[in-house]
Amino acid sequence: MNFSSLTILKFLLSAALITLVTEAVKRSDKLGALLASLPFITVISMIWIYHETPVDTRIAKVSTHAQLVFWYVLPTLPMFLLFPWLARHLGFYGALGASAGLTITLFALTRWIMGRYGVAL
């Protein structure tokens, strides 16, 4: 596998963001949650997509990406509400598993519903 300098930069930036959030949580739950809720990864991804896509299709590619991210974020939101309750009853890893199952189910439901309205996810 041949990694370019840009690929290595992407890995380092992603790792730095995760580290920033986990370190912030040590100081303040609220700050850590705020940082985690910001769409850093989406915005950075859009920048990379924009610069790595041919000029004639880059706006369309980034726009499609942003629209799809919107629809895929929606089914993840219930997990954040249910996780605290699940963790108290199922433990941390049980809650993670149940949350993943719920999110996958909601992804499928969202895809099916949006497909009925002509939105291909």
Side-chain angles (χ1 to χ4, degrees), residues 7-86:
T7 302
I8 293 169
L9 177 62
K10 289 180 198 179
F11 278 123
L12 294 174
L13 185 56
S14 299
L17 288 173
I18 292 167
T19 302
L20 175 68
V21 170
T22 58
E23 291 299 314
V25 167
K26 292 177 184 176
R27 289 161 184 73
S28 166
D29 289 335
K30 291 178 184 178
L31 177 60
L34 173 65
L35 290 173
S37 71
L38 296 173
F40 289 127
I41 300 303
T42 302
V43 170
I44 291 168
S45 297
M46 288 173 24
I47 292 167
W48 296 134
I49 292 165
Y50 179 81
H51 287 287
E52 294 175 352
T53 302
V55 174
D56 58 332
T57 59
R58 63 174 45 157
I59 296 297
K61 189 77 162 174
V62 171
S63 297
T64 298
H65 178 73
Q67 183 179 26
L68 289 170
V69 166
F70 171 80
W71 290 114
Y72 283 135
V73 162
L74 295 178
T76 68
L77 296 177
M79 177 199 72
F80 296 105
L81 293 174
L82 290 175
F83 184 85
W85 183 86
L86 291 168

